Amino acid sequence: MSDLGEAMFDRLLFDSHRCHPEDLIDLVAIHAAPVGLHDPVLYLADLQQANLVRVPRGRVSAPIRSAERVPIDTTALGRIFRYGECHFTPTDDGRAHMWMPLLEGSERLGVFRITVDADDRHDVDPTIAQRARRLASLVGLLVVTKRAYSDTLVELTRHSDMTLSAEMQWGLLPPLTFATERIVVAGALEPAYKVAGDTFDYGVIDDGVHLALFDAAGHDLNSAVVVGLAAAAYRKGRRQSLGLRELGDAIDEQVAARFGPPELVTGVLAHFDAGSGKLQWVLRGHPPPVLIRDGKWVKTLWLKPGLPMGIGLRRPTEVGTVQLEPGDRLLFYTDGVTEARDSDGNEFGLDRLVDFVIRREADHQPATETLRRLIRSILDHQEGHLQDDATVLLVEWRG
């Protein structure tokens, strides 16, 4: 990278520290133009990853939900988001639009467009193209940083108001996607604007990742409070290095002390060692995960289930152990997925759920895109109206 380009990134990064979130695109435009990168345009994926929403430049005064929305499943712009491809389109003035996926790590945020000097798509200077890709990476980091305290960036990705319970749940969630060279974790929740009693969590330490999926009884604000307490107790316990049995007991104790029956939480707690490939898990009144290998449903990880958490009774809990192989996928889910019924009363079912994931694996779809399409399929099955929370966590080990 030239000294001019290096100086551009240095100034942009420095000035971004005190940049108002709604001035981010203008800040990028000011610093990028002198190095041949012009007219930045930013699209963010909406909450359900159904549309890409164009982020307006400058301070927003009009209703921001009226922003331009582009479908992800049926457009060229959506294809860039779905497949992570970089694409060039010539302009009428001897330049080219360079379209790039906007990422923060493995989390797909949207699409970034920059205009570069070129006669056609084959005449873009490689140095300029490389600089544009690096700029897209920096913009992705800045969007995540600014989004943490920008109601505008958050509201842009919503098309309706959230229930109070859903607002609580989304505020507690870790990023929907996490990846290293060895492991990918991707999660999804629906109904996005009304989710109440479901949540998931994960945490990384050394070569391992801790995983948990929770489902509280009911579908109201109380359910959100109960499952939020369970998730907080889980984080506290795992950061104290409790084993899986002890983790379940600690959650049970906390929920029982403050609520008790009938406010119960089912869950699956797991630990995966990405170095050795060993998975351990416990079931607390929850459906067992599924192991997928080489495009086949090779095992349902059955255990004698422990009691749901919140009863306050200590009972022996079985811990399962299984050795994974590189390329294996683990599928965790709540019963709102398998028990989702269409207008004729037909359940979505575990067979359909696993078959969907296997087919996407055969299509070489990454875990993130697999879950996005799965959620769309579940919503279509119930004509867009889920009767219960539906949550899925997909883990892929790359070995």
Side-chain angles (χ1 to χ4, degrees):
M1 182 167 54
S2 69
D3 291 341
L4 185 62
E6 185 174 352
M8 181 273 289
F9 283 107
D10 185 59
R11 290 192 302 269
L12 175 56
L13 184 59
F14 181 82
D15 289 348
S16 72
H17 292 309
R18 296 188 178 182
C19 171
H20 189 288
E22 295 171 34
D23 295 336
L24 179 58
I25 302 176
D26 285 334
L27 183 70
V28 172
I30 290 169
H31 286 295
V35 296
L37 307 175
H38 308 280
D39 189 26
V41 177
L42 180 61
Y43 291 85
L44 296 180
D46 66 8
L47 187 67
Q48 296 171 296
Q49 296 190 351
N51 297 286
L52 292 165
V53 185
R54 182 164 178 166
V55 180
R57 290 183 67 161
R59 307 293 174 90
V60 176
S61 57
I64 55 179
R65 287 183 185 166
S66 61
E68 175 190 351
R69 295 176 181 270
V70 180
I72 288 176
D73 284 309
T74 58
T75 63
L77 188 63
R79 181 180 177 86
I80 295 169
F81 177 85
R82 297 195 313 270
Y83 295 103
E85 299 172 341
C86 180
H87 188 63
F88 293 87
T89 55
T91 66
D92 295 332
D93 59 356
R95 293 180 170 183
H97 292 319
M98 187 173 176
W99 305 83
M100 295 160 285
L102 189 72
L103 305 170
E104 199 291 301
S106 58
E107 183 180 6
R108 300 183 301 176
L109 304 173
V111 173
F112 181 65
R113 191 200 80 185
I114 202 79
T115 303
V116 297
D117 294 327
D119 292 331
D120 56 51
R121 60 176 295 175
H122 302 293
D123 274 343
V124 176
D125 184 278
T127 301
I128 295 294
Q130 181 189 45
R131 189 176 293 158
R133 293 187 181 94
R134 291 179 176 178
L135 179 61
S137 295
L138 178 56
V139 171
L141 289 170
L142 295 177
V143 166
V144 170
T145 301
K146 302 299 181 183
R147 187 179 59 183
Y149 54 83
S150 170
D151 285 347
T152 297
L153 291 180
V154 171
E155 276 294 295
L156 272 170
T157 60
R158 299 181 180 182
H159 64 71
S160 63
D161 292 330
M162 275 192 175
T163 62
L164 183 57
S165 59
E167 197 73 65
M168 291 177 61
Q169 293 299 72
W170 283 101
L172 289 170
L173 282 174
L176 295 182
T177 307
F178 159 78
T180 67
E181 292 181 350
R182 291 182 174 183
I183 190 169
V184 179
V185 178
L189 298 90
E190 282 290 345
Y193 295 90
K194 297 180 180 180
V195 65
D198 280 13
T199 196
F200 67 84
D201 197 31
Y202 60 83
V204 180
I205 182 169
D206 197 18
D207 268 343
V209 57
H210 295 272
L211 304 154
L213 195 62
F214 298 107
D215 183 358
H219 187 82
D220 54 22
L221 181 58
N222 211 44
S223 303
V225 175
V226 173
V227 81
L229 174 61
Y234 169 70
R235 288 181 180 179
K236 180 176 183 294
R238 77 165 193 251
R239 289 165 182 168
Q240 293 174 329
S241 301
L242 296 185
L244 294 178
R245 283 194 186 95
E246 292 75 20
L247 265 174
D249 290 341
I251 298 167
D252 173 66
E253 180 179 334
Q254 293 295 331
V255 176
R258 287 156 181 80
F259 295 96
E263 305 297 345
L264 306 178
V265 181
T266 70
V268 52
L269 312 176
H271 176 264
F272 177 61
D273 186 330
S276 67
K278 184 174 76 171
L279 174 78
Q280 292 186 302
W281 77 101
V282 298
L283 301 177
R284 298 296 298 252
H286 199 85
V290 170
L291 173 59
I292 297 171
R293 176 177 298 156
D294 296 328
K296 297 177 182 178
W297 178 356
V298 298
K299 182 179 291 188
T300 301
L301 302 183
W302 291 103
L303 287 176
K304 181 180 179 181
L307 295 173
M309 293 165 286
I311 297 177
L313 295 175
R314 291 288 182 96
R315 294 289 187 271
T317 304
E318 185 178 351
V319 178
T321 302
V322 67
Q323 179 65 43
L324 302 191
E325 297 180 6
D328 283 357
R329 284 183 167 186
L330 292 165
L331 182 62
F332 301 80
Y333 59 94
T334 60
D335 57 14
V337 176
T338 53
E339 295 176 5
R341 296 179 181 273
D342 63 16
S343 57
D344 295 324
N346 299 311
E347 289 188 346
F348 192 81
L350 183 57
D351 287 347
R352 192 196 309 246
L353 170 63
V354 177
D355 182 67
F356 187 97
V357 174
I358 288 173
R359 288 179 181 273
R360 299 295 78 75
E361 182 178 7
D363 295 338
H364 305 289
Q365 296 297 325
T368 50
E369 181 63 14
T370 295
L371 280 202
R372 192 190 73 83
R373 297 188 184 193
L374 173 62
I375 290 297
R376 306 311 304 168
S377 180
I378 294 169
L379 286 169
D380 289 344
H381 184 75
Q382 289 198 295
E383 299 178 354
H385 301 287
L386 299 182
Q387 291 92 32
D388 191 10
D389 295 339
T391 302
V392 184
L393 196 61
L394 185 60
V395 181
E396 178 181 325
W397 185 43
R398 295 173 174 173

